[in-house]
Amino acid sequence: MNTADLGLPVDVPSTALFTDQYELTMLQAALAAGTAGRRSVFEVFTRRLPEGRRYGVLAGTGRVLDAVENFRFDPDLLGFLRERGIVDEPTLEWLASYRFGGDIWGYPEGEVYFPGSPVLRVEGSFAECVLLETVILSVLNHDSAIAAAASRMASAAGDRPLIEMGARRTHELAAVAASRAAYIGGFTSTSDLAAGFRYGIPTVGTSAHAFTLLHDHERDAFRAQVDSLGRGTTLLVDTYDVAEAVRTAVEVAGPGLGAVRIDSGDLLLVAHRVRRQLDELGATGTKIVVTSDLDEYAIASLAAAPVDAYGVGTQLVTGSGHPTCSMVYKLVARAESADPKAPLVPVAKKSTGGKTSVGGRKWAARRLDGQGVAEAEVIGVGPVPAELSDQQLLVQLVKGGQVLAREPLDVVRDRHAEARARLPLSATQLSRGEPVIPTEYV
């Protein structure tokens, strides 16, 4: 079952309070001033990539669509707002019937992005759009950070599979979102069963050190696991002495043992020793899985080691040092009145300190060179140049409040692999550098 196709609700009855209080106080003031109905355009973008990153990865769009659909103020939520005196009665009456009825455009999920890329554009009345700011940023900042880290790790791993196993290192619901984002970025499986159930991601897992310690002898633990899970299982061999454990593992399971896992020590050295020992014991097909606080740099350092798969936890679910993408949600255009026919006027923040923005409802395209490799992210307001018309990036996601399509996660995952492959080769380098292609405004 691929639940990505089913449009399942988020893990709470409503997302309406996944917001900051000032969204509601702005709404109240705008309703009173008569400006709440002005047609408005908000855009999500980041002014810069995290230090050292060459590209960003958009993830979380599917979860944003769920969040928008479930942004509803039920009686309990309205009662909470009334009890706290957060907004007045006219605003509560307006919120009681809130349903987003506007349009949303965005980069397809899994696509790469760069500074200034309008990865999401939300259009509608000021009132209905402003309420969505916090929940949209919460989802996109988290998921895109994880996906970017996963993408770098996948590049470092090459053809070797990656297992997401960070559930115990983050919030229980964030763990499910992190697993989804990691899968988009190139991971092949997860240890988190909730992620497997909700999104159809392949799940894996065998045993921890506790299972070995439970038994009187390591051999007894291995025998119990093999008897239960079969000879193709993965045995954890670093609870006591690795060499002795490998010998015992092959004696118990035979040369058809599926894999051994190493979770500590000098992984480069130990992996070479274990591979040699396995081959000498006739277990030439037994794979080696390594874990132990890996990140993209550790994975890259093991490229020449006889390792068959990597398990990554803490560094993945924390964005490998960059747990957010610093995306912002800014009003870039609005009408001069509530008249639906009133023209849009570009607006932008002009303050100093690096927080300026560019006004106007934007389009975005990625210019390719003669070999089909990306050479620039082109962003503009107004007509799209003819030469870029077939390279536009934004697609419509919501029309008149209705979600147009939900994609299976495998489609999103494949899209990211294709998008990354169209970047210059230097995009996959782990060395620090500027964005791999420039952003041009026209």
Side-chain angles (χ1 to χ4, degrees), residues 90-416:
T91 305
L92 290 171
E93 292 177 9
W94 189 92
L95 291 173
S97 60
Y98 176 82
R99 300 290 186 274
F100 178 73
D103 299 337
I104 299 178
W105 294 71
Y107 281 34
E109 189 168 16
E111 183 58 85
V112 297
Y113 68 87
F114 299 91
S117 297
V119 295
L120 201 73
R121 188 174 73 219
V122 183
E123 305 181 22
S125 70
F126 176 84
E128 63 183 335
C129 295
V130 74
L131 293 181
L132 299 176
E133 174 180 5
T134 303
V135 69
I136 286 176
L137 290 179
S138 177
V139 171
L140 294 184
N141 269 313
H142 174 269
D143 290 23
S144 298
I146 306 305
S151 180
R152 285 163 59 86
M153 293 175 188
S155 293
D159 295 331
R160 297 172 179 177
L162 290 158
I163 306 164
E164 185 280 312
M165 46 197 309
R168 63 189 62 194
R169 297 293 188 248
T170 188
H171 185 279
E172 65 273 15
L173 297 183
V176 182
S179 180
R180 180 184 184 278
Y183 191 68
I184 291 171
F187 275 59
T188 55
S189 58
T190 179
S191 66
D192 191 286
L193 290 177
F197 171 75
R198 181 167 174 75
Y199 296 118
I201 301 170
T203 58
V204 296
T206 50
S207 68
H209 292 102
F211 187 74
T212 300
L213 295 171
L214 169 69
H215 293 80
D216 295 334
H217 302 285
E218 192 170 45
R219 180 182 297 274
D220 297 336
F222 289 172
R223 171 57 62 193
Q225 184 173 327
V226 170
D227 287 347
S228 177
L229 302 179
R231 297 179 186 277
T233 191
T234 299
L235 296 177
L236 181 59
V237 295
D238 72 328
T239 305
Y240 304 118
D241 179 83
V242 172
E244 179 63 22
V246 170
R247 183 184 63 78
T248 302
V250 176
E251 288 178 356
V252 169
L257 173 63
V260 295
R261 178 162 75 96
I262 306 166
D263 188 50
S264 59
D266 183 334
L267 296 179
L268 179 62
L269 175 63
V270 176
H272 277 287
R273 288 177 174 174
V274 168
R275 180 73 271 158
R276 186 183 311 114
Q277 185 180 9
L278 287 170
D279 291 345
E280 290 172 350
L281 293 170
T284 56
T286 299
K287 299 183 181 302
I288 297 175
V289 180
V290 296
T291 53
S292 186
D293 208 27
L294 300 175
D295 62 10
E296 60 265 49
Y297 299 101
I299 292 169
S301 73
L302 293 168
V307 171
D308 298 286
Y310 306 94
V312 189
T314 303
Q315 294 301 319
L316 176 66
V317 299
T318 57
S320 195
H322 296 290
T324 180
C325 302
S326 298
M327 289 181 180
V328 294
Y329 183 95
K330 296 299 180 183
L331 181 66
V332 297
R334 51 86 176 167
E336 292 182 335
S337 72
D339 184 345
K341 297 181 180 179
L344 289 173
V345 177
V347 295
K349 183 177 179 180
K350 298 298 184 183
S351 63
T352 59
K355 288 193 174 184
T356 59
S357 56
V358 178
R361 182 180 185 272
K362 300 174 194 67
W363 52 263
R366 187 160 301 139
R367 191 172 68 237
L368 308 178
D369 65 16
Q371 304 300 316
V373 177
E375 62 178 15
E377 192 86 340
V378 186
I379 300 170
V381 176
V384 181
E387 65 272 18
L388 295 175
S389 60
D390 62 346
Q391 296 175 27
Q392 294 187 72
L393 292 164
L394 280 84
V395 298
Q396 190 160 19
L397 303 169
V398 176
K399 183 176 182 179
Q402 299 299 312
V403 175
L404 296 182
R406 283 186 169 84
E407 298 181 302
L409 205 54
D410 284 334
V411 171
V412 178
R413 187 172 185 269
D414 290 344
R415 177 183 294 124
H416 173 63

Side-chain angles (χ1 to χ4, degrees), residues 5-59:
D5 294 323
L6 303 182
L8 294 180
V10 292
D11 299 294
V12 293
S14 169
T15 54
L17 294 189
F18 286 4
T19 191
D20 292 304
Q21 181 168 315
Y22 76 175
E23 315 291 6
L24 300 187
T25 55
M26 282 192 288
L27 169 64
Q28 176 178 305
L31 288 170
T35 53
R38 290 186 175 187
R39 190 159 55 103
S40 300
V41 179
F42 287 82
E43 290 176 351
V44 177
F45 62 93
T46 185
R47 296 183 176 94
R48 63 192 64 84
L49 297 179
E51 183 181 358
R53 296 289 167 88
R54 313 300 299 276
Y55 62 93
V57 181
L58 180 66

Side-chain angles (χ1 to χ4, degrees), residues 54-79:
R54 313 300 299 276
Y55 62 93
V57 181
L58 180 66
T61 307
R63 297 208 307 120
V64 165
L65 298 179
D66 288 343
V68 170
E69 282 195 332
N70 287 277
F71 204 94
R72 306 283 187 269
F73 290 87
D74 61 32
D76 288 341
L77 302 189
L78 294 170

